[in-house]
Amino acid sequence: MTGIFAAWVGALAMGMIFFCSPIVSMFTDHFGCRKTALGGAFVAFIGLLTTSFTNSLGLRYFTYGILFGCGSSFAFQPTLVILGHYFRRRLGLANGMVTAGSSVFSMALPPLLKKVVGPLGLSYTFQILSAFMLVQAFLALTFQPLLPTAHSSPHAEGEGGSRWQRGLPQIRKLFNLRVFRVTTYRVWAFGVATAVLGYFVPYIHLVNYVMEEFKETEKEWILMVCIGASSGVGRLVFGKIGDLIPGVKKIYMQVASFLLLGLMSMMIPQCRVFEGVIVVCIFLGLCDGCFITIMAPIAFELVGPMQASQAIGYLLGLMAIPMTAGPPIAGILHDYFGNYHVAFYLAGVPPIIGGTVLFFVPLIHRWNQRCQQQEDHCNDKMLPSENNAVNGDLLPGFTDVETHV
């Protein structure tokens, strides 16, 4: 029972990374990418460091699950947004190179930690990990936007009137929901949120499945290496391919990745030899790399760079519940049926449904463009039309103060 509660500490930290994303987008738009990432990395550093000094599971729920989880969310999301300031034509490749770093660490860190935890203990291991977060805090200082933008007008919106009337525009600036007015974004967000219900099931339960089916206790690490390596390669390759595909047609890459991922999940119970599972893992990694690396470029295409921060934040927030719920549901199905077969078959359904939904996004976008052309109404999202810019009109993560840096 203690092991179950201990496992939920890590699950809480992962969940907080996604649950906090809408709030992170507000901070990014208000304070900028640099300050948000710097503050988040420092909070995550404090969370890991304090975790090393406590032996109480209850305290670790707070220090690791909440502090580290929230801090990681604030440190991670600005790294996706800031790339839009530096790259436009090669945004996919740049995003692939940045996210490929996580694949390298996902392969190298587990065996390294296994060797470190034994001799040094868990406390010193957390202290070593906290040093990585401190390095990330210093790296966040390099997040300096390069693109020019409009300056806010000195007079405040809602000048005069009651305190509530003066404060209402500020609240609207923070809680910017204008991205949901974009039909294609709503459909895209719904499709992605549906797909991730079964997205992580193979990654979480595959090792246990192999140990049950093939009695492998020494080769399961090969599966994680294959997924990590193929995911890293996929992020680089598909990032480059995404740059060659114009506009919202990039979404077809996600369509293909979700459909293939769903099929691969259903293929796992059909594998009769361990080598067959390795082949499935390679395809799972490629699908993961394609989905991750193309997510931010699609957000920029659907809502424009001015609202990309909010779009990414709300998308990750919508992904939080289904992504967190999928693996436990698969675990319940395993306990009920006595094996993972039904869990893997059903886990393949949501990605296929989500991929099918995403297929219609470019069609809806094309239809909307035709309607706009008929009405002779064309909005340029790349440049703000007036100086009095509100949240979403400024480039994401680019505050007025930073324009003078």
Side-chain angles (χ1 to χ4, degrees):
M1 185 65 68
T2 303
I4 297 177
F5 286 114
W8 274 103
V9 175
L12 177 61
M14 181 61 67
M16 293 302 294
I17 293 176
F18 291 93
F19 276 113
C20 292
S21 294
I23 301 175
V24 177
S25 65
M26 300 175 192
F27 274 76
T28 302
D29 284 346
H30 189 71
F31 296 105
C33 289
R34 185 191 306 159
K35 292 180 180 179
T36 304
L38 176 62
F42 187 74
V43 171
F45 161 73
I46 295 297
L48 288 174
L49 187 63
T50 52
T51 301
S52 68
F53 293 108
T54 177
N55 295 320
S56 171
L57 186 61
L59 284 177
R60 285 183 177 173
Y61 271 101
F62 175 73
T63 58
Y64 188 85
I66 296 180
L67 275 184
F68 172 70
C70 289
S72 297
S73 181
F74 276 75
F76 165 70
Q77 190 174 318
T79 63
L80 300 178
V81 177
I82 193 63
L83 292 177
H85 293 270
Y86 288 80
F87 301 94
R88 184 58 179 170
R89 288 185 304 169
R90 296 182 175 87
L91 180 59
L93 179 59
N95 193 59
M97 294 178 67
V98 171
T99 55
S102 62
S103 297
V104 175
F105 273 88
S106 66
M107 291 186 295
L109 207 55
L112 178 63
L113 291 179
K114 187 177 294 185
K115 293 183 178 180
V116 170
V117 172
L120 299 181
L122 191 60
S123 178
Y124 286 109
T125 302
F126 276 119
Q127 293 177 19
I128 294 174
L129 293 176
S130 68
F132 284 102
M133 294 306 304
L134 190 60
V135 171
Q136 186 171 342
F138 286 105
L139 293 177
L141 295 174
T142 65
F143 290 5
Q144 181 176 346
L146 298 181
L147 300 179
T149 187
H151 299 281
S152 296
S153 178
H155 64 276
E157 292 184 42
E159 195 173 281
S162 65
R163 180 179 299 179
W164 168 254
Q165 291 175 331
R166 294 193 303 268
L168 186 59
Q170 300 298 325
I171 296 176
R172 288 176 178 173
K173 288 182 182 181
L174 290 175
F175 296 91
N176 177 20
L177 299 175
R178 284 187 296 171
V179 293
F180 290 104
R181 299 178 187 175
V182 182
T183 305
T184 50
Y185 174 78
R186 293 200 303 268
V187 178
W188 179 58
F190 173 77
V192 172
T194 302
V196 297
L197 178 60
Y199 186 85
F200 270 113
V201 171
Y203 302 101
I204 298 298
H205 294 286
L206 193 57
V207 171
N208 291 334
Y209 168 78
V210 169
M211 294 176 66
E212 286 186 2
E213 295 291 326
F214 303 103
K215 310 303 179 184
E216 292 285 352
T217 58
E218 297 181 356
K219 295 182 179 180
E220 66 273 6
W221 61 271
I222 299 178
L223 303 179
M224 297 297 101
V225 171
C226 290
I227 292 177
S230 58
S231 178
V233 172
R235 295 178 192 196
L236 295 173
V237 173
F238 292 117
K240 178 61 177 178
I241 295 176
D243 291 334
L244 302 177
I245 300 177
V248 296
K249 291 183 179 180
K250 295 179 176 65
I251 291 182
Y252 288 131
M253 295 177 61
Q254 280 192 335
V255 173
S257 67
F258 281 141
L259 294 179
L260 182 59
L261 187 141
L263 291 176
M264 288 298 103
S265 178
M266 294 178 176
M267 285 294 295
I268 293 175
Q270 301 298 321
C271 296
R272 302 306 179 191
V273 293
F274 181 74
E275 289 74 14
V277 181
I278 294 179
V279 175
V280 170
C281 287
I282 293 175
F283 282 101
L284 288 176
L286 291 174
C287 293
D288 176 72
C290 180
F291 167 64
I292 294 298
T293 195
I294 210 68
M295 181 171 59
I298 290 176
F300 275 82
E301 293 290 348
L302 291 179
V303 303
M306 315 306 171
Q307 302 183 72
S309 174
Q310 298 286 348
I312 295 173
Y314 286 127
L315 175 66
L316 296 177
L318 291 172
M319 291 167 55
I321 294 179
M323 183 177 288
T324 306
I329 293 176
I332 294 174
L333 292 174
H334 169 266
D335 294 340
Y336 183 82
F337 291 101
N339 56 55
Y340 283 105
H341 291 194
V342 175
F344 283 134
Y345 285 135
L346 294 180
V349 175
I352 293 177
I353 295 176
T356 304
V357 172
L358 295 185
F359 177 82
F360 294 98
V361 175
L363 304 179
I364 297 173
H365 179 76
R366 191 181 311 160
W367 182 79
N368 288 338
Q369 282 186 328
R370 290 177 180 175
C371 293
Q372 289 179 354
Q373 290 175 355
Q374 291 175 355
E375 297 173 359
D376 294 324
H377 179 72
C378 182
N379 293 323
D380 185 8
K381 294 181 179 179
M382 289 300 299
L383 295 174
S385 58
E386 52 183 325
N387 290 332
N388 187 19
V390 297
N391 186 18
D393 289 334
L394 296 175
L395 285 169
F398 198 0
T399 64
D400 293 331
V401 175
E402 289 178 324
T403 62
H404 302 288
V405 176

